[in-house]
């Protein structure tokens, strides 16, 4: 996106290597190419930009925009529909919201999620997207919405060729034939899915860096060797990052022990056998790997995107954050689905990252708020191989910036900017947001989308959506006894370690 030059003056500029408690006041020149052209005193560079717009940010912090490294836009309209329940039961409703929806609904839901993210200071989001049907128009509806909101997206299209019912331990045996489709009994064709993804990459391109392509096998247990090998080949040929779900729940751990015995009971060894570990790969969640697998992640440079909000919401347990830190596993942070974290805000995610260690170990940790801040910005950028482009305020990098208002109660008194962003802020202070040098949120509202008109469009489609959610919930209720039994089996099976706290 090219535009006019701007000089942002008088803000306290938060640079990750600098003073994070009281960042110094500096001026920032945004070039017409959407990149940061200079940082310092404007007297040093304003002669090079005589026509630049001057934007006074006195009383603000200028921080790098957040990079949310794990998110799904498809269930946004189910926000607030669920109490806390296990992933397998929640999935009975949400997975059905992903497919066969109208293009209008897809556009509206993606746009709403994008605006929420931006208003919370997220400037890049990894949408682990469901494109169902696999039709060009659906990919266009999603990416059109991101373009309309002005949000940068790390975009991936989910592929899988094993059905849901075949990957939940006990489900194929217990669910009656007439209810199998409600759980999910369709598998995709590996070649057709990969061909679709490749065609979208060629057809749509990177749109000047606003679309960063990635690949997303849904989860290793949901994909055949053939499909994973295809993903691996495509990732290498096109130099693309890969995101996949691994070990989110105890059930998935147990499934690995039983079904992947040829790979030593390890989904990660299965991934390794098809070339899908390495610095270009990030696994989402990583709640249930064992110690040897954590070492394997570290050794191969494979990253983990932690999603503590959804792990707690879906009763999946607490990821082994201390072990990841001990082994120097590359980390990033995500908020996950709209219906299992209910908020697109890295403020909540950073705070949980810092606090959760305390439920396992009362001793003081070396974990600092600055680390959470770095993971929520550069960590996410690194997961996509783009930490030289986004995630920090440095000359030459894309101008993805947020201005936080120091008048907000979260910053009164101002003792430490980093700690108050992580522990005190809720998203309320985000006043202005730039992506690629373009102002996309001004005074806390989208600067380019008519939010009121969008709300009116949403009202029109919601009766139908609610009807469908109720129907899916009623089907899920019919399966509740069976899924309670699946849960009992899962929780009573032996495992040598736990990610839950036990009172005994
Ligand atoms: Zn996910």
């Amino acid at each position: 996106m090219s535009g006019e030059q701007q000089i942002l003056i008088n803000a306290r500029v938060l640079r990750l290597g600098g003073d994070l408690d009281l960042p110094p006041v500096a001026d920032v020149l945004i070039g017409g190419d959407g990149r940061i052209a200079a940082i310092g005193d404007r007297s040093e560079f304003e002669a090079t930009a005589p026509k630049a717009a001057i934007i006074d940010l006195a009383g603000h912090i200028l921080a790098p925009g957040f990079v949310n490294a794990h998110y799904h836009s498809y269930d946004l309209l189910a926000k607030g529909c669920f109490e806390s329940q296990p992933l397998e039961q929640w999935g009975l409703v949400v997975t059905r919201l992903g497919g066969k929806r109208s293009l209008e609904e897809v556009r509206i839901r993606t746009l709403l999620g994008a605006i929420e993210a931006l208003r919370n200071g997220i400037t890049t989001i990894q949408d682990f997207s469901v494109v169902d049907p696999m039709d060009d128009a659906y990919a266009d509806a999603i990416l059109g919405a991101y373009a309309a909101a002005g949000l940068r997206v790390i975009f991936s299209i989910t592929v899988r060729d094993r059905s849901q019912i075949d990957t939940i331990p006990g489900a194929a045996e217990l669910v009656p034939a007439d209810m199998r489709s409600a759980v999910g009994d369709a598998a995709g064709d590996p070649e057709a899915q990969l061909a679709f993804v490749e065609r979208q990459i060629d057809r749509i391109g990177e749109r000047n860096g606003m679309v960063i392509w990635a690949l997303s096998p849904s989860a290793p247990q949901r994909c055949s060797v053939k499909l994973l090998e295809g993903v691996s080949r495509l990732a290498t040929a096109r130099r693309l990052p890969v995101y996949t779900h691994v070990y989110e729940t105890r059930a998935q751990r147990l499934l690995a022990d039983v079904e992947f015995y040829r790979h030593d009971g390890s989904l990660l060894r299965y991934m390794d056998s098809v070339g899908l570990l390495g610095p270009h790969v990030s696994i989402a969640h990583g709640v249930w790997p064992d110690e040897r697998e954590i070492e394997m992640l570290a050794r191969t440079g494979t990253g983990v995107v932690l999603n503590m909000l959804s792990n707690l919401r879906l009763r999946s347990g607490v990821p082994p954050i201390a072990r990841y830190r001990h082994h120097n596993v590359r980390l990033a942070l995500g908020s996950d689905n709209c219906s299992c974290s209910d908020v697109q805000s890295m403020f909540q995610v950073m705070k949980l990252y810092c606090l959760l260690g305390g439920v396992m170990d009362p001793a003081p940790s070396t974990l600092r708020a600055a680390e959470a801040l770095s993971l929520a910005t550069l960590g996410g950028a690194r997961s996509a191989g783009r930490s030289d482009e986004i995630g920090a305020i440095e000359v030459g990098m894309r101008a993805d910036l947020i201005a936080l208002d120091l008048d907000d109660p979260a910053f009164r008194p101002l003792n430490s900017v980093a700690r108050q962003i992580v522990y005190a802020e809720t998203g309320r202070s985000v006043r202005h947001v730039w992506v690629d040098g373009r102002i996309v949120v001004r005074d806390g509202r989208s600067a380019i989308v008519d939010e009121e008109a969008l709300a009116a469009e949403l009202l029109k489609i919601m009766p139908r959506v609610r009807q469908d959610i109720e129907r899916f919930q009623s089907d899920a209720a019919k399966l509740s006894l069976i899924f309670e039994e699946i849960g009992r089996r899962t929780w009573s099976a032996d495992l040598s370690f736990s990610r839950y706290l036990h009172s005994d």
Side-chain angles (χ1 to χ4, degrees), residues 126-447:
Q126 203 281 292
D127 190 355
F128 199 124
S129 192
V130 173
V131 180
D132 179 14
M134 282 195 166
D135 182 300
D136 292 359
Y138 280 81
D140 288 339
I142 297 169
L143 289 172
Y146 284 118
L151 178 60
R152 194 185 301 284
V153 60
I154 303 166
F155 187 66
S156 59
I157 297 170
T158 308
V159 294
R160 64 181 295 168
D161 62 349
R162 288 190 70 201
S163 69
Q164 189 71 354
I165 197 161
D166 286 330
T167 53
I168 299 174
E173 172 201 339
L174 293 170
V175 173
D178 63 336
M179 293 299 290
R180 289 175 62 90
S181 65
V183 181
D185 59 354
D189 172 60
E191 279 160 7
Q193 292 179 77
L194 288 173
F196 176 77
V197 171
E198 209 167 357
R199 193 168 76 246
Q200 303 314 307
I201 297 172
D202 287 336
R203 190 175 67 82
I204 295 167
E206 283 227 328
R207 294 185 176 165
N208 189 34
M210 291 298 286
V211 178
I212 298 167
W213 283 94
L215 300 175
S216 280
S218 175
Q221 73 275 14
R222 299 174 193 146
C223 298
S224 67
V225 170
K226 186 176 180 185
L227 179 55
L228 290 183
E229 282 178 346
V231 168
S232 182
R233 261 198 310 275
L234 192 54
T236 305
R238 305 258 183 165
R239 303 173 64 84
L240 298 174
V242 178
Y243 297 87
T244 188
H245 297 102
V246 181
Y247 291 140
E248 183 169 358
T249 65
R250 195 175 200 271
Q252 293 172 9
R253 169 82 259 171
L254 293 169
L255 180 93
D257 289 346
V258 175
E259 282 200 17
F260 291 82
Y261 57 89
R262 264 187 256 111
H263 299 278
D264 208 12
S266 167
L267 291 172
L268 291 172
R269 285 188 187 82
Y270 176 47
M271 288 170 66
D272 197 27
S273 74
V274 291
L276 272 181
L277 292 184
H280 65 304
V281 179
S282 294
I283 65 165
H285 302 295
V287 180
W288 291 89
D290 63 22
E291 184 74 10
R292 282 186 312 162
E293 290 173 315
I294 294 171
E295 286 170 21
M296 192 172 182
L297 290 167
R299 199 169 58 246
T300 57
T302 307
V304 177
V305 184
L306 296 166
N307 300 274
M308 290 77 56
L309 279 172
S310 67
N311 299 149
L312 295 179
R313 188 91 158 78
L314 297 176
R315 315 182 82 78
S316 303
V318 177
I321 296 171
R323 303 313 300 160
Y324 286 137
R325 292 182 73 248
H326 175 80
H327 288 288
N328 274 324
V329 174
R330 176 171 56 79
L331 297 176
L333 303 177
S335 64
D336 210 357
N337 295 59
C338 302
S339 73
C340 68
S341 70
D342 301 293
V343 62
Q344 296 314 313
S345 168
M346 301 307 281
F347 296 105
Q348 293 193 8
V349 177
M350 289 188 292
K351 186 167 182 173
L352 266 186
Y353 176 74
C354 290
L355 297 184
L356 265 180
V359 303
M360 298 295 194
D361 184 357
S365 164
T366 56
L367 204 165
R368 301 268 181 270
E371 179 179 320
L373 205 49
S374 171
L375 294 185
T377 50
L378 268 181
R382 204 171 287 127
S383 75
R386 300 296 175 112
S387 54
D388 55 343
E389 289 268 306
I390 55 174
I393 302 183
E394 297 301 334
V395 171
M397 292 181 81
R398 306 263 183 181
D400 291 3
L401 307 167
I402 59 177
L404 308 177
D405 186 354
L406 285 169
D407 277 343
D408 190 89
F411 297 109
R412 283 199 169 135
L414 188 61
N415 290 315
S416 162
V417 164
R419 277 196 290 278
Q420 283 165 273
I421 285 178
V422 171
Y423 290 118
E425 230 308 61
T426 59
R428 201 174 43 207
S429 77
V430 178
R431 303 307 303 157
H432 315 299
V433 178
W434 291 256
V435 178
D436 224 44
R438 178 191 192 193
I439 189 152
V440 291
V441 170
R442 185 182 285 118
D443 295 321
R445 305 276 291 180
S446 175

Side-chain angles (χ1 to χ4, degrees), residues 44-59:
E44 298 159 10
F45 52 69
E46 63 190 347
T48 65
K51 291 187 182 156
I54 307 287
I55 299 171
D56 190 350
L57 294 175

